[in-house]
Amino acid sequence: LPLLGFIINGLGFPKLNKKVAAIIGCGSVLASFAIVCTLFLQSLQTSLNHRIDLYTWIAAGNYTVSFALLIDNLSVIMMMIVTGVGFLIHVYSIGYMQEDEGFGKFFAYLNLFIFFMLLLVMGASFVIMFIGWEGVGLCSYLLIGFWWKNREYSAAANKAFIMNRIGDLGFILAIFMMFAVFGSSDFDKVFPAASAFTTNDSIILALTLLLFVGAIGKSAQLPLFTWLPDAMAGPTPVSALIHAATMVTAGVYMVARSNILYSIAPVTLAVITVLGTITALFAALIALTQNDIKKVLAYSTVSQLGFMFVALGTSSFDAGIFHVMTHAFFKALLFRGAGSVIHAMSGEQNIRHMGGLKKALPITSFTFLIGTLAIAGIPPFAGFFSKDAILTASYFNSTIIFLLLILTSILTAAYMFRLYFMVFWGNFRGTHHQEEHLHESPQSITIPLIILALFAAIGGFFGLPEIFGNHNWIHHYLSPVFSQNTRIMAHADS
């Protein structure tokens, strides 16, 4: 459906008027979300594990690649995030891009982005996943450089595209290696065959490290992280889409999907844990010094992705996906709140030129505060519970890692409350012209903010720790996916 929306808006631009383009763009994602909701309801009754072979895509000698999709609980929860948060970003874009001459083209690109991300999480093999993987890389290039007449924005798009290709080289080498070793890249063939290998076998180590190189690029870990802050050059809805619902979570999803391979390679898991911790701390320190409202949030995304990889590295795969989900809520909220502020400030992004905006932007201010409380890990907001699960897993893995993550969590609260107070409290520090034109954003911007604020407030209750009894829904929901893995390292119940 999003692909159909892309084709109609793409071919119809600029003949279609903005209202029709918005209906097609938003409607295709909303219809997708409705279908995913029916799958989700089915998965609540009985766990899903359906492979759908559409046709043989590649046949060369002994090698065949089927264009196949896999629908299970892990892919369904990712599809819920992509289509649900993606739809709200589409609605938000109506108000944000209303005056842009490329309105229809923008919605076409957004639809294509959603299509490729859905293909990525639904693929039943690493080859099909790689198509979506490259597709979101292409769409990020198109959207980051959407205002291409600005050379700085075009340079940022090029940087994102090239740095992702560096990581993707590792991914594609891993796929070649799979065909050489297993004769296939299908999950249902690679994972059972890999289970026969001994722990830390050199082949599995090489395979998992190459896959992780791909994840480093896509999910902006050290050293391939500098493209993500520069990606702020694109329109704010693009920032929200890349950071919250789609592209940067692809690496986390890929490692979680490949959990059987990684559990056979504890050395690789240790590398993931250490690199994730260093990235989380390093990005948090950089965020403390930023004065561009979107760059503070960009570095916070890099930091939160570090937390997710620590969860994966400590074999707490469900906690990693849980943080993906809560992060999607509060980071989409924060980026859209930032967009609302920029919209009111006539394009100003420097927080030193803001201040006192809570009077003129009461809805934006309140929802931004909820997002700040969530990412800072203040109970009972969403980020508290997902971070708690990761910290618990790290505590039983390494005391040093645990303490560094505690420090990073404190820094997260520091830079986020610095951002909130500099923007919304105190005296206004902008120009007189900006002050005269301050206004709350239209409903197409504020309604998605309110919906996301609700989920940022209550989303953590999907993963209550064991101290509250057997109520960790996300753990039980994903257990059918990870129960096939007999080598998951033991870690404490969180």
Side-chain angles (χ1 to χ4, degrees):
L1 287 168
L3 180 62
L4 189 62
F6 161 72
I7 293 169
I8 295 171
N9 269 335
L11 294 177
F13 176 78
K15 296 174 184 176
L16 294 175
N17 66 48
K18 291 181 178 180
K19 187 175 181 180
V20 174
I23 290 171
I24 293 169
C26 296
S28 62
V29 182
L30 178 61
S32 299
F33 179 64
I35 294 169
V36 174
C37 284
T38 62
L39 287 171
F40 179 68
L41 292 173
Q42 289 178 36
S43 69
L44 292 176
Q45 296 171 351
T46 177
S47 62
L48 300 178
N49 190 10
H50 298 304
R51 178 187 165 100
I52 304 160
D53 286 276
L54 299 175
Y55 55 88
T56 299
W57 182 40
I58 298 173
N62 296 325
Y63 300 111
T64 60
V65 176
S66 173
F67 202 101
L69 306 177
L70 175 65
I71 307 298
D72 67 356
N73 288 15
L74 177 57
S75 60
V76 166
I77 203 164
M78 291 298 295
M79 290 155 65
M80 286 285 288
I81 295 169
V82 171
T83 56
V85 178
F87 169 68
L88 292 175
I89 291 170
H90 275 67
V91 173
Y92 174 91
S93 301
I94 296 173
Y96 197 87
M97 300 296 290
Q98 188 62 46
E99 305 302 321
D100 198 282
E101 60 183 17
F103 186 87
K105 181 171 67 172
F106 185 77
F107 273 90
Y109 289 166
L110 284 185
N111 275 183
L112 188 65
F113 208 139
I114 297 293
F115 162 72
F116 277 123
M117 191 64 196
L118 287 173
L119 187 62
L120 190 157
V121 300
M122 292 168 69
S125 69
F126 285 97
V127 170
I128 305 302
M129 183 192 288
F130 190 71
I131 300 171
W133 191 273
E134 291 302 293
V136 294
L138 167 66
C139 292
S140 70
Y141 168 76
L142 294 172
L143 286 165
I144 293 167
F146 186 75
W147 291 322
W148 54 271
K149 293 180 182 179
N150 185 313
R151 284 181 175 272
E152 186 180 333
Y153 295 173
S154 294
N158 290 336
K159 184 174 183 178
F161 191 78
I162 293 166
M163 290 193 76
N164 270 274
R165 298 296 75 72
I166 296 170
D168 295 351
L169 175 62
F171 195 160
I172 201 165
L173 287 174
I175 293 174
F176 291 154
M177 192 173 175
M178 286 176 201
F179 278 104
V181 176
F182 306 114
S184 174
S185 74
D186 290 5
F187 300 149
D188 58 4
K189 293 179 181 175
V190 171
F191 298 154
S195 297
F197 283 75
T198 57
T199 300
N200 284 329
D201 183 276
S202 58
I203 292 175
I204 302 298
L205 278 176
L207 189 60
T208 50
L209 286 170
L210 285 171
L211 285 172
F212 182 54
V213 169
I216 288 172
K218 195 67 73 185
S219 295
Q221 299 296 283
L222 284 169
L224 302 178
F225 73 98
T226 55
W227 70 268
L228 194 56
D230 285 9
M232 298 303 94
T236 300
V238 177
S239 305
L241 192 62
I242 290 175
H243 284 250
T246 57
M247 186 169 168
V248 295
T249 61
V252 180
Y253 166 77
M254 184 263 285
V255 174
R257 173 64 72 192
S258 311
N259 64 88
I260 292 176
L261 293 176
Y262 282 93
S263 294
I264 303 168
V267 170
T268 305
L269 289 177
V271 170
I272 293 173
T273 303
V274 171
L275 192 65
T277 304
I278 294 171
T279 302
L281 180 58
F282 186 69
L285 288 168
I286 296 176
L288 278 171
T289 68
Q290 298 300 306
N291 293 310
D292 183 313
I293 187 170
K294 286 170 70 175
K295 284 202 173 183
V296 175
L297 299 178
Y299 281 110
S300 85
T301 298
V302 177
S303 183
Q304 297 308 305
L305 287 164
F307 273 91
M308 296 173 202
F309 279 108
V310 171
L312 301 176
T314 54
S315 294
S316 190
F317 297 105
D318 54 343
I321 297 299
F322 182 32
H323 200 50
V324 167
M325 184 179 78
T326 60
H327 181 262
F329 298 146
F330 58 68
K331 188 50 63 70
L333 169 62
L334 289 167
F335 264 112
R336 281 184 251 194
S340 180
V341 169
I342 294 166
H343 184 268
M345 290 287 296
S346 306
E348 178 64 66
Q349 295 185 201
N350 192 327
I351 60 176
R352 291 176 296 185
H353 300 156
M354 299 179 187
L357 297 185
K358 67 174 182 173
K359 294 178 183 177
L361 286 75
I363 297 174
T364 302
S365 174
F366 179 70
T367 54
F368 201 94
L369 175 61
I370 291 177
T372 301
L373 291 168
I375 193 173
I378 306 299
F381 296 91
F384 168 76
F385 293 102
S386 55
K387 280 188 182 179
D388 178 66
I390 296 171
L391 289 169
T392 304
S394 68
Y395 177 79
F396 289 96
N397 185 270
S398 166
T399 304
I400 295 174
I401 297 292
F402 171 73
L403 293 174
L404 288 175
L405 290 183
I406 289 287
L407 173 61
T408 306
S409 298
I410 294 169
L411 290 174
T412 303
Y415 67 69
M416 283 308 304
F417 278 107
R418 168 184 177 263
L419 175 64
Y420 173 73
F421 285 119
M422 285 190 71
V423 171
F424 294 105
W425 286 62
N427 298 318
F428 185 73
R429 298 181 296 276
T431 65
H432 181 67
H433 175 76
Q434 287 173 330
E435 190 171 17
E436 283 185 333
H437 291 82
L438 286 176
H439 61 282
E440 185 60 274
S441 298
Q443 287 187 338
S444 61
I445 292 179
T446 56
I447 290 174
L449 285 176
I450 293 167
I451 295 170
L452 283 167
L454 176 64
F455 281 105
I458 67 170
F461 293 99
F462 290 113
L464 288 174
E466 297 297 328
I467 193 171
F468 292 106
N470 197 22
H471 298 299
N472 192 330
W473 176 84
I474 193 83
H475 174 75
H476 295 298
Y477 183 77
L478 292 174
S479 60
V481 178
F482 301 123
S483 62
Q484 303 167 24
N485 186 349
T486 58
R487 298 204 196 184
I488 287 184
M489 292 161 56
H491 62 82
D493 288 331
S494 56

Short mmCIF file of all heavy atoms in Angstrom, two decimals, residues 326-376:
data_model
loop_
_atom_site.label_atom_id
_atom_site.label_comp_id
_atom_site.label_asym_id
_atom_site.label_seq_id
_atom_site.Cartn_x
_atom_site.Cartn_y
_atom_site.Cartn_z
N THR A 326 9.72 1.98 23.07
CA THR A 326 9.52 3.18 23.89
C THR A 326 10.25 4.38 23.28
O THR A 326 9.73 5.51 23.28
CB THR A 326 9.99 2.96 25.34
OG1 THR A 326 11.40 2.63 25.35
CG2 THR A 326 9.21 1.86 26.02
N HIS A 327 11.44 4.12 22.73
CA HIS A 327 12.20 5.19 22.08
C HIS A 327 11.44 5.75 20.88
O HIS A 327 11.47 6.96 20.63
CB HIS A 327 13.57 4.66 21.65
CG HIS A 327 14.45 5.68 20.99
ND1 HIS A 327 14.56 5.80 19.62
CD2 HIS A 327 15.24 6.65 21.51
CE1 HIS A 327 15.39 6.78 19.33
NE2 HIS A 327 15.82 7.31 20.45
N ALA A 328 10.75 4.88 20.15
CA ALA A 328 9.95 5.35 19.01
C ALA A 328 8.90 6.36 19.47
O ALA A 328 8.65 7.36 18.81
CB ALA A 328 9.28 4.17 18.30
N PHE A 329 8.29 6.08 20.62
CA PHE A 329 7.27 6.99 21.15
C PHE A 329 7.86 8.33 21.55
O PHE A 329 7.44 9.39 21.07
CB PHE A 329 6.55 6.36 22.36
CG PHE A 329 5.80 5.10 22.05
CD1 PHE A 329 5.71 4.09 23.00
CD2 PHE A 329 5.19 4.92 20.83
CE1 PHE A 329 5.02 2.92 22.73
CE2 PHE A 329 4.50 3.75 20.54
CZ PHE A 329 4.42 2.75 21.50
N PHE A 330 8.85 8.30 22.47
CA PHE A 330 9.31 9.59 23.00
C PHE A 330 10.22 10.34 22.05
O PHE A 330 10.25 11.58 22.06
CB PHE A 330 9.91 9.47 24.41
CG PHE A 330 11.07 8.55 24.59
CD1 PHE A 330 12.30 8.80 24.04
CD2 PHE A 330 10.94 7.41 25.40
CE1 PHE A 330 13.39 7.97 24.25
CE2 PHE A 330 12.02 6.55 25.63
CZ PHE A 330 13.24 6.84 25.04
N LYS A 331 10.94 9.64 21.17
CA LYS A 331 11.81 10.38 20.25
C LYS A 331 11.00 11.00 19.11
O LYS A 331 11.29 12.13 18.68
CB LYS A 331 12.91 9.47 19.71
CG LYS A 331 14.00 10.18 18.89
CD LYS A 331 14.58 11.41 19.59
CE LYS A 331 15.30 11.10 20.89
NZ LYS A 331 16.54 10.38 20.75
N ALA A 332 9.97 10.31 18.63
CA ALA A 332 9.09 10.92 17.63
C ALA A 332 8.41 12.14 18.23
O ALA A 332 8.27 13.18 17.58
CB ALA A 332 8.05 9.91 17.14
N LEU A 333 8.00 12.03 19.49
CA LEU A 333 7.37 13.15 20.20
C LEU A 333 8.33 14.33 20.31
O LEU A 333 7.97 15.48 20.04
CB LEU A 333 6.93 12.68 21.59
CG LEU A 333 6.47 13.75 22.58
CD1 LEU A 333 5.26 14.49 22.06
CD2 LEU A 333 6.17 13.12 23.94
N LEU A 334 9.57 14.07 20.71
CA LEU A 334 10.54 15.14 20.92
C LEU A 334 10.91 15.83 19.61
O LEU A 334 11.01 17.07 19.55
CB LEU A 334 11.79 14.59 21.60
CG LEU A 334 11.62 14.20 23.07
CD1 LEU A 334 12.80 13.37 23.56
CD2 LEU A 334 11.43 15.43 23.95
N PHE A 335 11.10 15.05 18.54
CA PHE A 335 11.44 15.66 17.26
C PHE A 335 10.29 16.50 16.73
O PHE A 335 10.48 17.58 16.17
CB PHE A 335 11.85 14.60 16.24
CG PHE A 335 13.33 14.41 16.16
CD1 PHE A 335 13.94 13.26 16.59
CD2 PHE A 335 14.14 15.42 15.66
CE1 PHE A 335 15.31 13.10 16.54
CE2 PHE A 335 15.52 15.28 15.60
CZ PHE A 335 16.10 14.12 16.03
N ARG A 336 9.07 16.00 16.90
CA ARG A 336 7.93 16.77 16.42
C ARG A 336 7.70 18.01 17.29
O ARG A 336 7.28 19.05 16.79
CB ARG A 336 6.70 15.89 16.36
CG ARG A 336 6.74 15.01 15.11
CD ARG A 336 5.50 14.21 14.97
NE ARG A 336 5.77 12.81 15.25
CZ ARG A 336 4.92 11.84 14.95
NH1 ARG A 336 3.76 12.13 14.40
NH2 ARG A 336 5.21 10.59 15.19
N GLY A 337 8.00 17.87 18.58
CA GLY A 337 7.95 19.05 19.44
C GLY A 337 8.97 20.09 18.99
O GLY A 337 8.68 21.29 18.95
N ALA A 338 10.17 19.61 18.64
CA ALA A 338 11.21 20.52 18.13
C ALA A 338 10.75 21.17 16.84
O ALA A 338 10.97 22.38 16.62
CB ALA A 338 12.50 19.74 17.90
N GLY A 339 10.08 20.39 15.99
CA GLY A 339 9.57 20.94 14.74
C GLY A 339 8.52 22.01 14.99
O GLY A 339 8.47 23.03 14.28
N SER A 340 7.67 21.79 15.99
CA SER A 340 6.66 22.78 16.35
C SER A 340 7.31 24.08 16.83
O SER A 340 6.86 25.18 16.48
CB SER A 340 5.74 22.21 17.45
OG SER A 340 4.74 23.13 17.82
N VAL A 341 8.40 23.94 17.61
CA VAL A 341 9.13 25.12 18.08
C VAL A 341 9.76 25.86 16.91
O VAL A 341 9.66 27.10 16.79
CB VAL A 341 10.22 24.70 19.10
CG1 VAL A 341 11.17 25.87 19.39
CG2 VAL A 341 9.59 24.20 20.39
N ILE A 342 10.41 25.11 16.01
CA ILE A 342 11.07 25.72 14.84
C ILE A 342 10.03 26.42 13.97
O ILE A 342 10.25 27.51 13.44
CB ILE A 342 11.84 24.64 14.04
CG1 ILE A 342 13.00 24.10 14.88
CG2 ILE A 342 12.37 25.22 12.73
CD1 ILE A 342 13.60 22.81 14.34
N HIS A 343 8.86 25.77 13.82
CA HIS A 343 7.75 26.35 13.04
C HIS A 343 7.32 27.69 13.65
O HIS A 343 7.11 28.68 12.93
CB HIS A 343 6.58 25.35 13.04
CG HIS A 343 5.42 25.76 12.20
ND1 HIS A 343 4.36 26.47 12.70
CD2 HIS A 343 5.15 25.56 10.89
CE1 HIS A 343 3.48 26.69 11.74
NE2 HIS A 343 3.93 26.15 10.62
N ALA A 344 7.22 27.73 14.98
CA ALA A 344 6.80 28.96 15.66
C ALA A 344 7.88 30.04 15.62
O ALA A 344 7.59 31.24 15.60
CB ALA A 344 6.43 28.66 17.11
N MET A 345 9.15 29.59 15.59
CA MET A 345 10.29 30.52 15.64
C MET A 345 10.77 30.92 14.24
O MET A 345 11.89 31.43 14.09
CB MET A 345 11.44 29.88 16.42
CG MET A 345 11.21 29.72 17.91
SD MET A 345 11.29 31.29 18.79
CE MET A 345 13.00 31.77 18.53
N SER A 346 9.96 30.66 13.24
CA SER A 346 10.29 31.05 11.85
C SER A 346 11.60 30.46 11.37
O SER A 346 12.41 31.11 10.70
CB SER A 346 10.34 32.59 11.72
OG SER A 346 9.13 33.16 12.19
N GLY A 347 11.84 29.19 11.75
CA GLY A 347 13.02 28.48 11.26
C GLY A 347 14.21 28.52 12.19
O GLY A 347 15.22 27.86 11.91
N GLU A 348 14.15 29.25 13.28
CA GLU A 348 15.27 29.32 14.23
C GLU A 348 15.45 28.00 14.96
O GLU A 348 14.49 27.40 15.44
CB GLU A 348 15.00 30.43 15.26
CG GLU A 348 16.07 30.57 16.32
CD GLU A 348 17.41 30.99 15.75
OE1 GLU A 348 17.51 32.11 15.24
OE2 GLU A 348 18.35 30.15 15.79
N GLN A 349 16.71 27.50 15.05
CA GLN A 349 16.99 26.23 15.71
C GLN A 349 17.95 26.35 16.89
O GLN A 349 18.16 25.39 17.63
CB GLN A 349 17.55 25.21 14.70
CG GLN A 349 16.54 24.82 13.64
CD GLN A 349 17.04 23.73 12.70
OE1 GLN A 349 16.53 23.57 11.61
NE2 GLN A 349 18.03 22.95 13.12
N ASN A 350 18.53 27.53 17.08
CA ASN A 350 19.50 27.73 18.16
C ASN A 350 18.76 28.00 19.47
O ASN A 350 18.04 28.99 19.60
CB ASN A 350 20.42 28.90 17.82
CG ASN A 350 21.62 28.99 18.75
OD1 ASN A 350 21.54 28.65 19.93
ND2 ASN A 350 22.75 29.43 18.21
N ILE A 351 18.94 27.11 20.45
CA ILE A 351 18.19 27.23 21.71
C ILE A 351 18.62 28.45 22.52
O ILE A 351 17.89 28.90 23.41
CB ILE A 351 18.32 25.94 22.57
CG1 ILE A 351 19.77 25.64 22.93
CG2 ILE A 351 17.69 24.76 21.85
CD1 ILE A 351 19.94 24.44 23.86
N ARG A 352 19.79 29.02 22.22
CA ARG A 352 20.22 30.23 22.92
C ARG A 352 19.39 31.46 22.51
O ARG A 352 19.44 32.49 23.17
CB ARG A 352 21.71 30.48 22.65
CG ARG A 352 22.63 29.47 23.31
CD ARG A 352 24.08 29.68 22.95
NE ARG A 352 24.32 29.47 21.53
CZ ARG A 352 25.53 29.50 20.95
NH1 ARG A 352 26.59 29.74 21.70
NH2 ARG A 352 25.66 29.30 19.66
N HIS A 353 18.65 31.31 21.39
CA HIS A 353 17.81 32.41 20.91
C HIS A 353 16.34 32.15 21.21
O HIS A 353 15.46 32.76 20.60
CB HIS A 353 18.01 32.61 19.41
CG HIS A 353 19.41 32.94 19.03
ND1 HIS A 353 19.94 32.70 17.78
CD2 HIS A 353 20.42 33.49 19.77
CE1 HIS A 353 21.21 33.08 17.76
NE2 HIS A 353 21.52 33.57 18.95
N MET A 354 16.06 31.21 22.11
CA MET A 354 14.68 30.88 22.46
C MET A 354 14.42 31.30 23.90
O MET A 354 14.95 32.28 24.37
CB MET A 354 14.43 29.38 22.24
CG MET A 354 14.62 28.94 20.80
SD MET A 354 14.35 27.18 20.56
CE MET A 354 14.87 26.98 18.86
N GLY A 355 13.58 30.57 24.62
CA GLY A 355 13.28 30.88 26.01
C GLY A 355 11.86 31.39 26.20
O GLY A 355 11.34 32.13 25.38
N GLY A 356 11.23 30.94 27.28
CA GLY A 356 9.90 31.42 27.63
C GLY A 356 8.79 31.04 26.67
O GLY A 356 7.75 31.69 26.63
N LEU A 357 8.98 29.97 25.91
CA LEU A 357 7.99 29.63 24.87
C LEU A 357 6.77 28.89 25.41
O LEU A 357 5.81 28.68 24.67
CB LEU A 357 8.66 28.76 23.78
CG LEU A 357 9.79 29.41 22.98
CD1 LEU A 357 10.24 28.48 21.87
CD2 LEU A 357 9.37 30.75 22.41
N LYS A 358 6.78 28.51 26.68
CA LYS A 358 5.65 27.71 27.19
C LYS A 358 4.35 28.51 27.21
O LYS A 358 3.27 27.93 27.14
CB LYS A 358 5.96 27.15 28.58
CG LYS A 358 6.07 28.18 29.68
CD LYS A 358 6.24 27.49 31.03
CE LYS A 358 6.29 28.52 32.16
NZ LYS A 358 6.29 27.88 33.47
N LYS A 359 4.43 29.84 27.27
CA LYS A 359 3.21 30.66 27.26
C LYS A 359 2.58 30.68 25.88
O LYS A 359 1.36 30.57 25.74
CB LYS A 359 3.54 32.09 27.70
CG LYS A 359 3.98 32.19 29.16
CD LYS A 359 4.33 33.62 29.53
CE LYS A 359 4.84 33.71 30.97
NZ LYS A 359 5.25 35.09 31.32
N ALA A 360 3.40 30.82 24.84
CA ALA A 360 2.89 30.89 23.48
C ALA A 360 2.59 29.51 22.90
O ALA A 360 1.74 29.37 22.02
CB ALA A 360 3.89 31.64 22.58
N LEU A 361 3.31 28.48 23.38
CA LEU A 361 3.15 27.12 22.85
C LEU A 361 2.81 26.16 24.00
O LEU A 361 3.62 25.27 24.33
CB LEU A 361 4.43 26.66 22.15
CG LEU A 361 4.78 27.25 20.78
CD1 LEU A 361 5.29 28.67 20.90
CD2 LEU A 361 5.83 26.39 20.08
N PRO A 362 1.65 26.28 24.62
CA PRO A 362 1.36 25.46 25.81
C PRO A 362 1.29 23.96 25.52
O PRO A 362 1.78 23.15 26.31
CB PRO A 362 0.00 26.01 26.28
CG PRO A 362 -0.60 26.67 25.08
CD PRO A 362 0.55 27.21 24.31
N ILE A 363 0.68 23.57 24.39
CA ILE A 363 0.56 22.14 24.06
C ILE A 363 1.93 21.56 23.74
O ILE A 363 2.31 20.49 24.24
CB ILE A 363 -0.41 21.94 22.88
CG1 ILE A 363 -1.82 22.40 23.25
CG2 ILE A 363 -0.43 20.47 22.45
CD1 ILE A 363 -2.80 22.37 22.09
N THR A 364 2.69 22.28 22.92
CA THR A 364 4.05 21.83 22.58
C THR A 364 4.90 21.71 23.84
O THR A 364 5.64 20.74 24.02
CB THR A 364 4.70 22.81 21.59
OG1 THR A 364 3.90 22.89 20.41
CG2 THR A 364 6.10 22.34 21.22
N SER A 365 4.81 22.70 24.73
CA SER A 365 5.60 22.70 25.96
C SER A 365 5.26 21.51 26.85
O SER A 365 6.17 20.81 27.34
CB SER A 365 5.36 24.00 26.72
OG SER A 365 6.00 23.97 27.98
N PHE A 366 3.98 21.24 27.02
CA PHE A 366 3.56 20.15 27.90
C PHE A 366 3.95 18.79 27.34
O PHE A 366 4.48 17.94 28.06
CB PHE A 366 2.04 20.22 28.11
CG PHE A 366 1.51 19.11 29.00
CD1 PHE A 366 1.79 19.09 30.36
CD2 PHE A 366 0.75 18.08 28.46
CE1 PHE A 366 1.32 18.06 31.17
CE2 PHE A 366 0.28 17.06 29.26
CZ PHE A 366 0.56 17.04 30.62
N THR A 367 3.72 18.60 26.04
CA THR A 367 4.06 17.30 25.43
C THR A 367 5.58 17.11 25.38
O THR A 367 6.07 15.99 25.57
CB THR A 367 3.46 17.18 24.02
OG1 THR A 367 3.86 18.31 23.22
CG2 THR A 367 1.94 17.13 24.08
N PHE A 368 6.33 18.19 25.15
CA PHE A 368 7.79 18.09 25.14
C PHE A 368 8.31 17.71 26.52
O PHE A 368 9.27 16.95 26.64
CB PHE A 368 8.40 19.42 24.69
CG PHE A 368 9.81 19.31 24.17
CD1 PHE A 368 10.06 19.16 22.82
CD2 PHE A 368 10.90 19.35 25.04
CE1 PHE A 368 11.37 19.05 22.34
CE2 PHE A 368 12.20 19.25 24.58
CZ PHE A 368 12.43 19.10 23.22
N LEU A 369 7.67 18.23 27.56
CA LEU A 369 8.05 17.87 28.93
C LEU A 369 7.85 16.37 29.17
O LEU A 369 8.71 15.72 29.79
CB LEU A 369 7.24 18.69 29.93
CG LEU A 369 7.45 18.33 31.42
CD1 LEU A 369 8.90 18.56 31.82
CD2 LEU A 369 6.51 19.14 32.31
N ILE A 370 6.74 15.83 28.68
CA ILE A 370 6.49 14.39 28.85
C ILE A 370 7.56 13.58 28.12
O ILE A 370 8.09 12.60 28.66
CB ILE A 370 5.08 14.03 28.33
CG1 ILE A 370 4.03 14.63 29.27
CG2 ILE A 370 4.90 12.51 28.24
CD1 ILE A 370 2.61 14.43 28.84
N GLY A 371 7.91 14.01 26.90
CA GLY A 371 8.98 13.33 26.17
C GLY A 371 10.31 13.41 26.91
O GLY A 371 11.07 12.43 26.96
N THR A 372 10.58 14.57 27.52
CA THR A 372 11.83 14.76 28.29
C THR A 372 11.86 13.85 29.51
O THR A 372 12.88 13.21 29.80
CB THR A 372 11.95 16.23 28.72
OG1 THR A 372 11.96 17.07 27.56
CG2 THR A 372 13.24 16.46 29.51
N LEU A 373 10.74 13.77 30.22
CA LEU A 373 10.65 12.89 31.39
C LEU A 373 10.83 11.43 30.99
O LEU A 373 11.46 10.63 31.70
CB LEU A 373 9.30 13.08 32.07
CG LEU A 373 9.07 14.43 32.77
CD1 LEU A 373 7.60 14.60 33.14
CD2 LEU A 373 9.94 14.55 34.02
N ALA A 374 10.29 11.07 29.80
CA ALA A 374 10.39 9.68 29.34
C ALA A 374 11.82 9.30 28.98
O ALA A 374 12.33 8.26 29.41
CB ALA A 374 9.46 9.46 28.14
N ILE A 375 12.50 10.14 28.20
CA ILE A 375 13.86 9.80 27.77
C ILE A 375 14.83 9.89 28.95
O ILE A 375 15.85 9.18 29.00
CB ILE A 375 14.33 10.70 26.61
CG1 ILE A 375 15.62 10.13 25.97
CG2 ILE A 375 14.54 12.13 27.05
CD1 ILE A 375 16.05 10.85 24.72
N ALA A 376 14.52 10.76 29.93
CA ALA A 376 15.40 10.90 31.10
C ALA A 376 15.27 9.71 32.06
O ALA A 376 16.07 9.57 32.98
CB ALA A 376 15.09 12.20 31.83
#
